[in-house]
Amino acid sequence: MRVEDLTSYEIIEKRKIADIDSVTYLCRHKKTGARLALISNDDDNKVFYIGFRTTPKDSTGVAHILEHSVLCGSKEFPIKDPFIELAKGSLNTFLNAMTYPDRTVYPVASCNDKDFQNLMHVYLDAVFYPNIYEKEAIFRQEGWHYELDEEGKLSYNGVVYNEMKGAFSSPDSVLYREISTALYPHTTYACESGGDPEAIPELTYEQFLDFHRTYYHPSNSYIYLYGNMDMAEKLQFIDEHYLSSFEALKVESEVTAEAPFARPVRRVREFPVSEGEDADENTYLAWCQAVGNNLDRELYVAFQILDFVLCTVPGAPLKKALIDKGIGKDVFSIYDNDLKQPYFGVVAKGTSLAREEEFGATIRETLAGIVEKGFDKKALLAAINHFEFRYREADFGSFPKGLMYGLQALGSWVYDDSKPFIHIEANETYAKLRAKVEEGYFEKLVKEYLLENSHAAMVILQPKEGLAVRQEEKLAGKLADIRKSLSEEEITGIHGMMDALNAFREDEDLPENRAKIPLLNREDMKREAAPLVNEERSLAGGKALYHEVFTNGIGYLRLMFEVKDVPAEYFPYIGILQNVFCHVDTAHYSYAELSNEINLAAGDLTVSGLGYANVEDPGRYTFFMEVCTKALYDNLSRALELMEELILTSKFTDKKRLKEILAENNSRYREYMLESGHSVAVTRALSYGDAKGAVNDALTGVGQYRLASGLEKDFEAGGELLSQRLETLCKMIFRPENLIVDFTGDRKAFEALEPSIAALKEKLFTCEVEKGSYEPEVSRKNEGFMTPGQVQYVCRAGNFLKKGLPYRGALKVLGVMMGYEYLWTNIRVKGGAYGCMCGFARTGDCYFVSYRDPNLGQTIDVYEEAADFIEAYDADERTMTQYIIGTFSQLDMPLTAAAKGRRSRDAYMSGLTYDMIQKERDEVIAATPDDIRGLAEYIRAFMKDDFLCVVGSEQKIKAEADKFMILENLS
């Protein structure tokens, strides 16, 4: 059957989109008016989503809480958490749900036909027939609820409540929220769709249900299918099982536009900083303007180009003008085109309120100069080339290509039913913009939208020392007042709600209900591991590693320089060196000109440090500085010339520029600590155990931040030394004897590299250099890093290999089981944390870590009891099969061409053979409950190391100070 033969649907449009080599359909369900967009092609990584236009009228987070809640059981799948059942027991390549400011979407992806059908079925049932009407406990668990402790003290808890406390701990996140409110005060964008922690407890259960009744209807839905599948069969299933059961309904969900402002507005908000942090120089200044309409396909891309050229690329004129005047330690721009009315903003971070007028004047002067004199045409063409390369490559890393196309489609579709594909089809747009570079088009955009646009806002975030404490005190006072006002009946009601919630959490799903979740068999798993694609070759008389992978004309080249014999006093500066490259002048180019040359010739050019531990002997650890590029085959020789320019002629003598780079990177790391405290905590905790962990921290973690921030604070004393060490490091590292060439792509393209590599090797450093070794200090420190945030990231780490325990494939299964059962239940469901993760590496390194966690000691107790849980663990065949399938989902994630090369290289560099990979795979598929119980000793082994690191709120860490050896404000 063809889509054209289905009588339940009307085909509005069918056409070929050559840009993505696909046939597209735009359809409408006749009975309900449900909208459908189909992209049919030969991609086996199939994608489905159903989305709804959701336009909240307050900041209680109802859309976000509902997104969590509908996945907690439904009519056909009446168990507590079908989402987790799918996550641990499907071959999904993507499984999640997302709340946007004006829409909510539920996407899934899988390469397995049967699995894909199962995922689609469960998600459709979840959104249309959720258990939220029968079980208020779902709302209380995922949204918010009162808790009374043994002393009668009242508090709030809930997964979304704690998630958003974490989100509001990040000043950057608060800034984005304030910008939307300032620019669009009379629209849904003035509301926080994720939920403001102060407003979330105002949401009632009935309001929550009303939101579902109003918006989660086929007449308000957007359904998307992508890939190689029988589209007609899927549409028939969707109609017969779901859409046909509903009548058409008029849903008032349109996103209204904000009328243009007569004059710019000013908005100020305070944010907390840690005790002792410089409040005077931590202000955020943001000048933002509404920019047209999301449906203007040319403007949509043109402002991406402008954003890149004005403020993003190294040496961008607007950023440079502000940095040169010392307005902000970090200057960046924002272009958000995922709203009905996009906006562009320039942000100076780490400045003072006194610079507000100068900030605005500098922006206007710089933009006026550009309009008068014109852009650097090469900069515009380089930017267009950069974005066009990314568009054609369509490499989204681990995210399925069809998912990213679908989310981009929804970004215009919700504003016009006829336009889901306008931004996916972009080749013509890039061609038009390239032609307009000579026509003054971009200068006209600057004049119209950035100089003569009154729909603008100055948004200011002012730092306030002690604000976090006062906020907690205010909340405590509010809760105390509520507690005093409660009648005996209301107190009894809260206890009853807590009992009902605990009962909901503790109740076991009936086996017959669990069996309703569709499940593949072990026999459906592919037995053989994907091959490694490694060839040891010689290139220009040196070692090379070649990966023959079809790359559609793009070569992925990596110059790997082993870092050896570097003295201890130099080694930590490698972390700074990798961040300085591409941001300082070279022999033939300013850093702005160099960026243009790179973007004209290549898709990217980066320098980074990477370590490889031997999987059989982790003590054998090698570290490399890797210079990487990707370019069309014809451009590879030019890309190599630029790599040579970068590593051999970068100038480190401009002290002012070095200090600017330090300030920007330090500012970004501070924000990273607040947003990704779990990664900071894991990296730091693992540094307590061995040299490879300590090296990683010294170059990318807290150790590197301490070095860089210390240099910034006392640059007068350390600037000259920094300059000298960076220059000397280049001479120590970029030497012919240290080089390995790594290439992924066509064999002819690889062989054509010979003369260029030979010429490069002739120019690499051969001078005499000081030699030494770096032996980092390794010891248990158990640190608590205090931030002005409101949540914790709690990590325990250690190593089992050092206790004589060999790596086993069943550890992969254990990781899935811990993440989706023991840790999930105790830390997220019961504890209220937003997330929890764990890892069990071949090197023996292990960790447990929580994410946006309201607790600290309670979470550590959960970790401590993990081994006992595993020792007593039992599971039926279905449950074991689920975890094995979930493990295979991770093992068999589809790889892009670049990722195939990366997987093979990483295996080669760490001594991982195909036989080891296959052995792990065999052990995974054969895993039994007895194998899992046998891993209790592995958990005890790594927990015995007692490596604890917590990033979290100052009040919480100080209240449990006895758990730490060191407390520190990391600011």
Side-chain angles (χ1 to χ4, degrees):
M1 185 183 295
R2 303 176 307 150
V3 172
E4 291 85 346
D5 298 327
L6 298 173
T7 59
S8 299
Y9 298 92
E10 171 191 0
I11 298 178
I12 297 168
E13 177 187 82
K14 175 187 176 182
R15 65 189 178 92
K16 174 75 179 282
I17 296 184
D19 291 10
I20 58 172
D21 193 22
S22 302
V23 174
T24 64
Y25 294 80
L26 183 60
C27 305
R28 176 184 169 276
H29 186 249
K30 292 178 180 177
K31 184 180 180 185
T32 64
R35 309 153 186 86
L36 300 99
L38 319 177
I39 299 181
S40 180
N41 52 40
D42 62 0
D43 192 343
D44 288 329
N45 199 357
K46 295 170 281 292
V47 179
F48 159 84
Y49 70 60
I50 182 164
F52 302 93
R53 194 163 53 197
T54 48
T55 48
K57 296 175 176 58
D58 57 39
S59 294
T60 58
V62 59
H64 187 189
I65 295 168
L66 191 57
E67 174 235 300
H68 280 238
S69 300
V70 299
L71 297 173
C72 294
S74 63
K75 184 171 71 174
E76 287 195 43
F77 308 105
I79 60 173
K80 286 188 296 184
D81 213 331
F83 175 79
I84 290 301
E85 293 299 304
L86 291 174
K88 68 188 182 186
S90 82
L91 291 175
N92 74 83
T93 56
F94 188 85
L95 179 74
N96 212 330
M98 292 91 94
T99 303
Y100 290 79
D102 54 15
R103 57 196 180 273
T104 308
V105 60
Y106 298 85
V108 298
S110 179
C111 295
N112 182 285
D113 292 339
K114 183 178 173 184
D115 190 52
F116 180 75
Q117 176 65 30
N118 295 343
L119 294 168
M120 186 175 75
H121 188 183
V122 173
Y123 262 42
L124 283 165
D125 207 65
V127 297
F128 288 127
Y129 301 113
N131 279 350
I132 57 174
Y133 293 93
E134 290 79 38
K135 297 183 178 180
E136 183 179 348
I138 294 172
F139 166 67
R140 296 301 170 192
Q141 172 181 286
E142 298 300 318
W144 77 275
H145 61 271
Y146 286 123
E147 289 186 356
L148 281 165
D149 64 17
E150 294 176 357
E151 298 174 357
K153 184 179 178 182
L154 193 68
S155 62
Y156 294 130
N157 205 346
V159 172
V160 169
Y161 177 74
N162 290 319
E163 177 187 351
M164 296 312 295
K165 283 183 75 175
F168 273 60
S169 295
S170 159
D172 283 27
S173 297
V174 173
L175 176 69
Y176 302 145
R177 169 74 262 128
E178 293 299 312
I179 291 171
S180 293
T181 303
L183 287 174
Y184 312 116
H186 304 102
T187 74
T188 193
Y189 300 132
C191 305
E192 174 52 71
S193 63
D196 184 329
E198 290 190 11
I200 287 172
E202 297 171 7
L203 180 65
T204 68
Y205 178 50
E206 191 54 41
Q207 290 169 336
F208 164 77
L209 297 179
D210 279 343
F211 198 86
H212 182 267
R213 293 186 190 104
T214 301
Y215 295 106
Y216 278 55
H217 189 280
S219 299
N220 189 46
S221 69
Y222 299 79
I223 298 171
Y224 170 81
L225 289 164
Y226 167 94
N228 184 8
M229 71 183 85
D230 186 334
M231 293 288 184
E233 177 189 74
K234 300 305 178 196
L235 292 186
Q236 190 169 13
F237 171 83
I238 293 169
D239 170 55
E240 292 177 355
H241 283 75
Y242 293 99
L243 301 185
S244 62
S245 301
F246 292 84
E247 301 297 328
L249 180 70
K250 172 120 178 105
V251 180
E252 299 291 342
S253 65
E254 289 76 12
V255 182
T256 58
E258 182 72 38
F261 292 172
R263 63 189 62 83
V265 299
R266 183 175 185 269
R267 187 176 179 88
V268 182
R269 174 167 174 159
E270 293 181 337
F271 73 96
V273 292
S274 297
E275 183 181 337
E277 200 169 345
D278 186 356
D280 291 335
E281 291 295 329
N282 271 303
T283 298
Y284 285 64
L285 300 175
W287 176 244
C288 310
Q289 288 148 304
V291 177
N293 189 297
N294 170 285
L295 299 174
D296 185 332
R297 64 198 300 172
E298 201 167 280
L299 188 66
Y300 180 95
V301 177
F303 249 90
Q304 288 180 339
I305 307 302
L306 280 176
D307 172 45
F308 193 71
V309 170
L310 284 172
C311 215
T312 301
V313 72
L318 199 48
K319 178 174 183 173
K320 188 173 188 300
L322 291 165
I323 291 290
D324 283 349
K325 290 187 176 182
I327 305 174
K329 296 177 180 177
D330 185 10
V331 172
F332 58 93
S333 55
I334 310 165
Y335 175 52
D336 189 345
N337 57 8
D338 213 19
L339 309 171
K340 182 166 186 169
Q341 293 170 280
Y343 71 81
F344 173 80
V346 180
V347 181
K349 176 180 173 182
T351 185
S352 69
L353 186 61
R355 309 295 294 273
E356 178 186 354
E357 187 174 331
E358 187 183 6
F359 170 69
T362 302
I363 291 172
R364 290 188 294 274
E365 289 167 11
T366 305
L367 294 176
I370 288 170
V371 170
E372 180 183 349
K373 298 175 183 177
F375 275 108
D376 177 348
K377 301 297 189 288
K378 181 177 274 192
L380 287 172
L381 290 171
I384 292 170
N385 190 71
H386 170 80
F387 284 100
E388 188 173 12
F389 187 101
R390 288 173 57 185
Y391 171 71
R392 291 176 181 271
E393 183 187 26
D395 185 340
F396 302 102
S398 62
F399 296 104
K401 179 164 59 176
L403 169 71
M404 304 311 289
Y405 286 155
L407 295 178
Q408 187 172 34
L410 190 61
S412 57
W413 200 9
V414 291
Y415 310 125
D416 189 323
D417 289 354
S418 68
K419 295 182 178 178
F421 304 125
I422 59 171
H423 300 314
I424 295 174
E425 194 173 16
N427 275 336
E428 184 180 340
T429 303
Y430 285 113
K432 286 181 178 179
L433 292 176
R434 199 178 291 277
K436 289 188 174 186
V437 166
E438 299 293 337
E439 299 173 6
Y441 170 74
F442 289 94
E443 290 83 356
K444 290 174 185 174
L445 292 183
V446 170
K447 184 177 181 181
E448 178 180 355
Y449 290 105
L450 303 183
L451 282 173
E452 299 178 352
N453 181 6
S454 59
H455 194 161
M458 180 69 80
V459 179
I460 300 167
L461 291 191
Q462 275 191 280
K464 202 75 173 176
E465 189 175 336
L467 180 61
V469 174
R470 289 197 295 277
Q471 287 173 335
E472 287 296 318
E473 290 172 347
K474 179 183 175 184
L475 176 59
K478 176 184 175 181
L479 286 165
D481 289 342
I482 293 172
R483 175 67 180 84
K484 289 176 187 174
S485 71
L486 293 174
S487 66
E488 286 300 319
E489 184 179 356
E490 288 171 324
I491 292 172
T492 300
I494 291 174
H495 282 297
M497 179 277 298
M498 291 172 61
D499 291 342
L501 182 53
N502 288 332
F504 172 73
R505 292 165 171 168
E506 298 291 344
D507 281 351
E508 293 287 335
D509 290 318
L510 296 174
E512 57 267 32
N513 286 337
R514 286 183 58 235
K516 292 176 181 178
I517 294 286
L519 186 67
L520 301 176
N521 301 310
R522 295 195 197 199
E523 291 70 29
D524 294 318
M525 304 302 101
K526 183 181 176 184
R527 294 277 172 167
E528 298 77 27
L532 296 173
V533 191
N534 288 321
E535 287 184 35
E536 272 194 50
R537 298 286 298 272
S538 176
L539 198 66
K543 185 175 180 179
L545 196 59
Y546 171 57
H547 319 285
E548 187 171 20
V549 177
F550 175 73
T551 61
N552 201 26
I554 297 173
Y556 296 90
L557 174 64
R558 185 173 295 242
L559 305 180
M560 305 173 62
F561 292 90
E562 185 174 358
V563 178
K564 55 187 178 183
D565 301 327
V566 172
E569 62 269 26
Y570 285 90
F571 195 93
Y573 285 79
I574 292 172
I576 297 174
L577 179 64
Q578 64 188 358
N579 291 322
V580 167
F581 279 124
C582 298
H583 295 276
V584 293
D585 297 343
T586 63
H588 300 99
Y589 304 105
S590 70
Y591 64 92
E593 292 168 342
L594 179 66
S595 176
N596 291 338
E597 296 298 325
I598 290 170
N599 286 319
L600 284 168
D604 206 358
L605 201 166
T606 61
V607 183
S608 59
L610 195 62
Y612 301 91
N614 186 279
V615 294
E616 291 190 300
D617 180 10
R620 288 166 54 199
Y621 178 75
T622 51
F623 190 84
F624 289 79
M625 283 288 278
E626 302 187 350
V627 189
C628 313
T629 192
K630 54 184 177 183
L632 298 175
Y633 293 149
D634 289 345
N635 290 342
L636 279 170
S637 59
R638 175 57 179 155
L640 254 170
E641 290 175 3
L642 293 170
M643 296 166 99
E644 174 189 315
E645 176 83 13
L646 189 71
I647 61 177
L648 298 184
T649 76
S650 284
K651 299 177 180 178
F652 307 113
T653 52
D654 185 343
K655 309 295 193 307
K656 178 177 178 292
R657 182 65 191 140
L658 288 179
K659 187 177 181 182
E660 290 168 356
I661 295 168
L662 284 174
E664 178 177 305
N665 288 328
N666 290 337
S667 173
R668 293 185 178 181
Y669 190 82
R670 283 191 289 272
E671 183 63 23
Y672 172 72
M673 286 190 296
L674 291 172
E675 292 186 340
S676 302
H678 61 303
S679 296
V680 174
V682 170
T683 299
R684 187 65 177 177
L686 289 173
S687 77
Y688 304 162
D690 57 28
K692 69 180 184 301
V695 165
N696 188 31
D697 181 74
L699 299 183
T700 67
V702 171
Q704 176 62 203
Y705 173 70
R706 282 174 170 161
L707 171 65
S709 60
L711 283 167
E712 182 195 352
K713 288 172 184 174
D714 196 12
F715 195 79
E716 288 296 318
E720 182 61 35
L721 180 65
L722 172 63
S723 175
Q724 292 172 3
R725 289 197 168 166
L726 297 181
E727 186 173 336
T728 303
L729 274 171
C730 287
K731 294 173 182 176
M732 292 175 170
I733 296 169
F734 300 119
R735 306 174 68 85
E737 65 268 25
N738 294 343
L739 176 63
I740 299 174
V741 177
D742 180 85
F743 185 76
T744 301
D746 180 82
R747 191 172 295 275
K748 286 184 180 178
F750 169 71
E751 292 169 350
L753 291 171
E754 176 94 25
S756 296
I757 295 296
L760 170 67
K761 291 184 71 173
E762 287 293 322
K763 299 173 184 175
L764 292 175
F765 294 110
T766 56
C767 55
E768 288 289 324
V769 290
E770 179 185 353
K771 293 188 177 183
S773 63
Y774 176 60
E775 299 294 336
E777 184 269 334
V778 174
S779 65
R780 184 169 72 94
K781 300 179 181 69
N782 289 17
E783 295 157 302
F785 294 117
M786 297 179 290
T787 74
Q790 303 176 64
V791 291
Q792 282 63 247
Y793 304 88
V794 183
C795 177
R796 277 288 294 272
N799 188 287
F800 64 78
L801 212 60
K802 295 176 182 177
K803 317 298 188 305
L805 298 171
Y807 179 79
R808 294 165 58 182
L811 286 163
K812 284 281 187 186
V813 184
L814 178 67
V816 174
M817 184 189 1
M818 293 296 290
Y820 289 127
E821 186 169 334
Y822 179 76
L823 294 177
W824 179 272
T825 300
N826 290 287
I827 291 176
R828 187 186 192 277
V829 175
K830 296 180 181 179
Y834 179 50
C836 47
M837 289 143 271
C838 61
F840 302 90
R842 282 182 179 271
T843 58
D845 285 340
C846 304
Y847 64 85
F848 295 146
V849 67
S850 62
Y851 182 77
R852 293 183 179 172
D853 188 349
N855 305 305
L856 200 165
Q858 179 179 323
T859 295
I860 295 172
D861 290 342
V862 171
Y863 298 161
E864 291 284 0
E865 295 166 10
D868 292 342
F869 172 82
I870 292 301
E871 193 168 52
Y873 185 77
D874 199 10
D876 56 23
E877 175 58 23
R878 176 186 170 86
T879 300
M880 281 306 302
T881 298
Q882 272 187 307
Y883 286 127
I884 288 166
I885 292 170
T887 306
F888 267 78
S889 175
Q890 297 177 2
L891 293 175
D892 290 346
M893 191 65 68
L895 300 176
T896 63
K900 289 175 182 176
R902 184 166 57 248
R903 170 180 178 264
S904 296
R905 178 185 62 255
D906 289 350
Y908 177 89
M909 298 302 297
S910 58
L912 180 63
T913 66
Y914 178 81
D915 288 344
M916 292 177 190
I917 295 172
Q918 186 60 51
K919 180 174 183 288
E920 175 189 67
R921 194 177 185 89
D922 293 341
E923 290 174 353
V924 166
I925 205 165
T928 66
D930 195 47
D931 292 328
I932 299 301
R933 287 190 289 272
L935 299 177
E937 63 175 326
Y938 284 68
I939 295 175
R940 289 199 176 95
F942 98 73
M943 288 290 288
K944 188 176 181 181
D945 285 333
D946 188 26
F947 298 155
L948 171 69
C949 182
V950 177
V951 177
S953 77
E954 184 176 346
Q955 304 94 294
K956 194 74 172 178
I957 288 177
K958 283 184 175 178
E960 304 193 42
D962 59 324
K963 293 179 170 59
F964 303 99
M965 298 166 66
I966 300 170
L967 297 186
E968 182 178 339
N969 275 320
L970 203 55
S971 59

